């Protein structure tokens, strides 16, 4: 038996001013997307924006449904729409933010496990995706989705690299 541990590396900022212009722009687009969130059940409005290698930015928001599992998180809305609209472009970065009671959350909003798994698939196919989790008081930046989900399901050989 061996007891092992892993380290998660990330960068933490306390002001958007410390970020690059590209990162701030992406967060701005994620925040814009929260305005189109459809969240009549949770009242938690999540926005996500992905930057593609061409420079194009695509954003999306959470879309809920009275048949609860039928809704979709903001991250998957943005990533799936980006890939369906621009299949030959690759996702290089993703920003996530959330608004509750009309105000942007102070703390980062972490992507759920299902979104991490989906994003990892894009990352395995196309290369690292920087993940920017933006609260007003704390912003965390992960260099890849893998940092957020180290033990991902990836041993099925359905993905042909
Ligand atoms: N949600 C997202 O859109 N992204 C996340 O990273 C976490 C949760 C949504 C799902 C649901 O519409 C609402 O937030 C509350 O869980």
């Amino acid at each position: 038996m061996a007891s092992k541990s892993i380290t998660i590396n990330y960068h933490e900022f306390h002001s958007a001013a410390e970020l690059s212009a590209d990162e701030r722009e992406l967060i701005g687009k994620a925040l814009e997307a929260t305005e189109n969130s459809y969240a009549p059940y949770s009242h938690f409005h999540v926005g996500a924006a992905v930057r593609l290698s061409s420079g194009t930015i695509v954003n999306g928001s959470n879309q809920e449904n009275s048949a609860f599992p039928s809704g979709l998180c903001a991250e998957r809305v943005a990533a799936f729409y980006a890939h369906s609209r621009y299949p030959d472009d690759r996702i290089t970065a993703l920003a996530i933010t959330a608004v509750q009671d009309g105000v942007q959350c102070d703390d980062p909003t972490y992507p759920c496990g299902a979104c991490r798994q989906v994003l990892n698939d894009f990352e395995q196919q196309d290369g690292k995706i920087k993940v920017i989790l933006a609260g007003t008081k704390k912003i965390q930046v992960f260099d890849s989705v893998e940092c957020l989900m180290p033990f991902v399901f990836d041993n099925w050989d359905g993905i042909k690299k």
Side-chain angles (χ1 to χ4, degrees):
M1 193 277 277
S3 297
K4 300 184 176 183
S5 63
I6 53 165
T7 303
I8 293 181
N9 296 308
Y10 60 97
H11 316 279
E12 192 165 286
F13 304 87
H14 293 282
S15 156
E18 297 175 80
L19 302 173
S20 70
D22 274 6
E23 290 167 333
R24 284 200 302 272
E25 184 188 23
L26 206 57
I27 293 170
K29 295 289 180 193
L31 186 59
E32 244 174 66
T34 61
E35 291 165 20
N36 296 334
S37 152
Y38 179 67
Y41 305 103
S42 72
H43 306 286
F44 191 66
H45 304 274
V46 185
V50 294
R51 184 183 293 281
L52 305 179
S53 46
S54 61
T56 302
I57 293 177
V58 171
N59 62 8
S61 54
N62 56 328
Q63 301 294 316
E64 298 183 349
N65 193 274
S66 57
F68 279 178
S70 307
L72 204 59
C73 295
E75 298 87 325
R76 273 177 285 169
V77 170
F80 285 150
Y81 177 67
H83 204 252
S84 59
R85 181 83 173 75
Y86 305 100
D88 299 323
D89 222 340
R90 68 176 204 89
I91 299 172
T92 59
L94 162 79
I96 305 167
T97 197
V99 167
Q100 205 169 12
D101 299 324
V103 228
Q104 189 179 0
C105 297
D106 288 342
D107 290 318
T109 295
Y110 296 101
C112 75
C115 285
R116 294 180 201 205
Q117 180 72 47
V118 164
L119 292 164
N120 178 273
D121 215 288
F122 286 111
E123 186 165 278
Q124 293 210 20
Q125 296 280 355
D126 295 334
K128 282 190 191 311
I129 300 172
K130 184 201 284 190
V131 182
I132 305 161
L133 307 178
T136 54
K137 299 221 167 107
K138 195 197 283 177
I139 302 161
Q140 292 175 338
V141 179
F142 296 76
D143 293 335
S144 75
V145 176
E146 194 184 4
C147 298
L148 274 165
M149 195 185 214
F151 293 110
V152 70
F153 170 61
D154 66 354
N155 59 350
W156 175 57
D157 67 3
I159 295 181
K160 298 290 178 219
K161 291 176 190 161

